[in-house]
Amino acid sequence: MSSAPRVRIAPSPTGYFHVGTGRTALFNWLFARQQGGSFILRIEDTDTARNRDEHIDGILRALEWLGLDWDEGPYYQSQRSHLYSSAIDLLIESGAVYACDCPPEEIQRRAKERGGPPGYDGFCRDRGLEPSSGRMLRFRVPAGESGFTDLVRGEVPKNNKDLEDFGVRKSNGDPLFILANVVDDADMSITHVIRGEDHVSNTHKYLLLWDALGYGEWPEFAHLPLLYNDQRKKLSKRRDKVAVEDYRDEGYLPEAMVNYLALLGWSPGAEREIVTREEMISGFRLSDVKSAGAIFDERKLQSVNSEYLRALPTDELVERAQAWLLGRWAPIAGLVQERARTLGEIYTLTDFLYRPDPVIDDAEWDKAVAKTPAFEALLSGVLTRFEQVEWDAESIQQAVVDAGRDAGVEQVGKAQAPVRLAVTGRPVGPPLWQSLEVLGRDRTAARIRAGLSRLHPGS
RNA sequence: GGCCCCAUCGUCUAGUGGCCUAGGACACCACCCUCUCAAGGUGGAGGCACGGGUUCGAAUCCCGUUGGGGCUGCCA
């Protein structure tokens, strides 16, 4: 194939955008960009019962968020039914398909009776039923072999006897996925079909149809290994967090998500983990894609995301976090930046600035503060000093150090602990002195007073 | 059940017959740094599923076993 490659991503409107679809889209996009080809978006909405406009909108926004721009489309299969109809007419004419009126229960019953494998048994093959409405259409699978060569996995053999007569049109007249898929790939001159491994067995049927329709030279195929959960099962909506929009909403950066997704099944080479888009485009090879599946590990995603977060100019970070929280935390943004793994986590680290009062866990308080008698004197010493010192990080630090010394708590690390818990409600967080400076003298003092009375509920 | 695919540390991977007493990253452990937590630094534990071949030589090639996965819809 000497002309510019044409590839496509063909999601169906299921209500969310699966990370696996995102990975497939990315690999298609990388291939197209590197080869100077076209990346085409086609919505596979032949199942009219499931279609919803907002689902389609979700697909477009997810693709945009990931930065995977398409060159053509979106095309909608629901608007191309005339193409499928004429293809079906052709198949009827040539006798490549036949009508079938077996109810699904009947097919199942016969399979059970037969004791053999489940699936259709060709019952209507030679009944000569008219292809009238109310009857589905099945492809008459010929004897022979339907093997093909896959760009990532090599030869994929198949004996046609292991293929049942699959449906190409529903009894309500709608085309089935496999038919629409083939017709559109031919019509759109798709040169490389890059999709998930769960489609390999569809490919044999695809090719049979392709030939029956006289489309000529086959496209190339590349089947990508699947993404699994930690149980090594295909990532599924039911058990797993699979929606790209969920990761977006938690504050993962699209560039980090793309980087992580690229690492699943492909590698930029030894000792590299963080890769720019340009490097991905220039280094990507379909032949380098692994054929074994990969587990989607959110901890690694977090780590990649942290790297991208820390690499951001701090003012840009503040800007991009606007959707999660207001900019009140900006003065300590640089300190928060290296501690947050997602934009959403920034709030956890800075919520003491946003809440009217800290939420203090009783058990935590008892363990970290109440058990140490000296901390009472420490806190009141801190309070006294806080009311007098200049309100800047350095003075705040000095006040805590001095109060600690007077209370017999020499180590600063120890002395800051009760102050931190009383004021922020958490045992850990960004550096305390700067945090208190931003919080302000009055709110800080009030919280320490509250801590003191927590020590002595009566007084 | 049938058909097909896959197999390097817990996870993602490098490795395409000698450079491998198998390298990196995440996660984990220890230490250093340090106002906590991170970040950073140093060190550590941890893997070629198993069994046969082929070869002077196998993580790399072949066969088998085991394990895992996918498909098997009038969903896509």
Side-chain angles (χ1 to χ4, degrees):
Chain A
M1 208 131 337
S2 55
S3 54
R6 293 171 57 81
V7 300
R8 42 70 165 184
I9 180 71
S12 60
T14 50
Y16 61 98
F17 194 79
H18 196 287
V19 287
T21 310
R23 204 266 309 246
T24 303
L26 172 64
F27 282 26
N28 271 282
W29 183 87
L30 287 173
F31 181 73
R33 290 294 167 268
Q34 178 191 81
Q35 304 281 316
S38 298
F39 176 57
I40 296 156
L41 172 58
R42 182 173 79 220
I43 309 292
E44 307 226 316
D45 53 355
T46 53
D47 190 355
T48 47
R50 293 190 187 181
N51 290 342
R52 302 273 290 281
D53 285 352
E54 60 265 36
H55 293 173
I56 289 168
D57 193 49
I59 293 171
L60 305 187
R61 275 182 310 175
L63 245 15
E64 281 164 3
W65 182 71
L66 289 170
L68 305 179
D69 55 317
W70 54 94
D71 305 300
E72 288 178 33
Y75 297 113
Y76 297 91
Q77 289 190 328
S78 57
Q79 295 170 7
R80 299 163 57 81
S81 42
H82 58 286
L83 286 171
Y84 315 132
S85 299
S86 46
I88 286 168
D89 288 345
L90 220 63
L91 292 171
I92 292 173
E93 227 169 282
S94 68
V97 299
Y98 61 88
C100 167
D101 62 359
C102 298
E105 316 80 59
E106 208 26 45
I107 295 172
Q108 264 183 22
R109 192 190 60 74
R110 284 203 303 266
K112 207 167 195 175
E113 210 167 71
R114 203 166 62 236
Y120 187 64
D121 55 2
F123 184 81
C124 299
R125 224 173 201 234
D126 302 309
R127 289 176 66 203
L129 260 27
E130 280 301 307
S132 54
S133 77
R135 287 172 181 162
M136 73 175 302
L137 254 29
R138 290 184 179 276
F139 187 83
R140 195 187 303 276
V141 175
E145 305 277 329
S146 299
F148 67 96
T149 304
D150 189 283
L151 261 23
V152 342
R153 45 217 319 122
E155 297 301 318
V156 186
K158 173 69 86 177
N159 191 318
N160 290 359
K161 73 174 167 53
D162 297 318
L163 251 28
E164 56 194 84
D165 286 353
F166 55 93
V168 300
R169 193 184 72 181
K170 302 184 199 180
S171 52
N172 71 1
D174 285 345
L176 250 358
F177 149 80
I178 186 78
L179 189 272
N181 197 245
V182 170
V183 170
D184 280 339
D185 282 351
D187 183 66
M188 296 174 188
S189 305
I190 299 301
T191 61
H192 299 256
V193 176
I194 305 171
R195 60 196 339 185
E197 185 193 304
D198 48 347
H199 282 292
V200 290
S201 59
N202 281 328
T203 304
H204 302 98
K205 303 175 188 171
Y206 179 113
L207 262 10
L208 252 15
L209 261 179
W210 183 280
D211 287 345
L213 287 164
Y215 287 150
E217 193 186 348
W218 292 349
E220 304 269 8
F221 291 91
H223 286 95
L224 272 22
L226 260 25
L227 262 28
Y228 298 113
N229 64 14
D230 53 11
Q231 310 294 312
R232 276 217 177 273
K233 296 274 189 271
K234 188 163 83 157
L235 275 185
S236 90
K237 167 82 168 172
R238 269 207 68 72
R239 330 173 263 260
D240 312 307
K241 185 163 69 176
V242 297
V244 167
E245 36 277 73
D246 286 346
Y247 291 96
R248 179 195 62 203
D249 293 347
E250 284 177 26
Y252 286 96
L253 303 175
E255 54 270 45
M257 180 59 95
V258 163
N259 192 146
Y260 176 66
L261 252 18
L263 260 25
L264 263 19
W266 175 75
S267 168
E271 339 239 312
R272 296 285 326 269
E273 306 290 333
I274 302 299
V275 203
T276 66
R277 236 167 238 260
E278 291 66 36
E279 289 170 324
M280 284 180 215
I281 291 171
S282 63
F284 185 76
R285 300 283 181 282
L286 275 178
S287 57
D288 288 344
V289 173
K290 289 230 317 178
S291 43
I295 290 176
F296 187 94
D297 180 11
E298 189 172 0
R299 290 176 305 177
K300 178 98 178 218
L301 206 212
Q302 281 176 343
S303 159
V304 172
N305 202 61
S306 301
E307 294 230 28
Y308 277 85
L309 228 41
R310 275 182 266 127
L312 244 33
T314 303
D315 53 349
E316 187 186 332
L317 176 68
V318 174
E319 177 65 32
R320 290 177 68 167
Q322 283 291 324
W324 283 263
L325 74 177
L326 300 176
R328 195 177 297 168
W329 64 292
I332 51 168
L335 301 172
V336 173
Q337 184 165 21
E338 63 191 27
R339 293 171 167 78
R341 291 174 301 185
T342 61
L343 297 176
E345 278 187 354
I346 293 173
Y347 179 73
T348 311
L349 289 162
T350 59
D351 64 347
F352 65 93
L353 291 172
Y354 296 86
R355 297 177 180 281
D357 293 300
V359 179
I360 300 171
D361 180 75
D362 285 332
E364 190 73 51
W365 176 265
D366 289 344
K367 181 162 66 92
V369 184
K371 273 186 175 171
T372 308
F375 282 170
E376 186 184 346
L378 171 81
L379 283 176
S380 54
V382 162
L383 183 59
T384 308
R385 287 177 170 78
F386 275 3
E387 280 163 348
Q388 296 159 2
V389 299
E390 285 295 307
W391 198 250
D392 57 58
E394 199 183 333
S395 309
I396 291 167
Q397 171 177 15
Q398 197 56 53
V400 173
V401 170
D402 291 346
R405 191 194 52 235
D406 289 357
V409 183
E410 298 292 342
Q411 294 172 16
V412 193
K414 271 213 170 73
Q416 60 90 39
V419 180
R420 178 185 295 278
L421 195 62
V423 179
T424 72
R426 296 182 189 276
V428 300
L432 190 59
W433 327 135
Q434 289 91 334
S435 297
L436 299 190
E437 181 182 334
V438 177
L439 218 211
R441 188 201 307 270
D442 293 347
R443 297 175 77 192
T444 301
R447 291 176 187 193
I448 290 175
R449 259 183 233 109
L452 245 11
S453 55
R454 193 185 182 99
L455 250 16
H456 290 292
S459 61

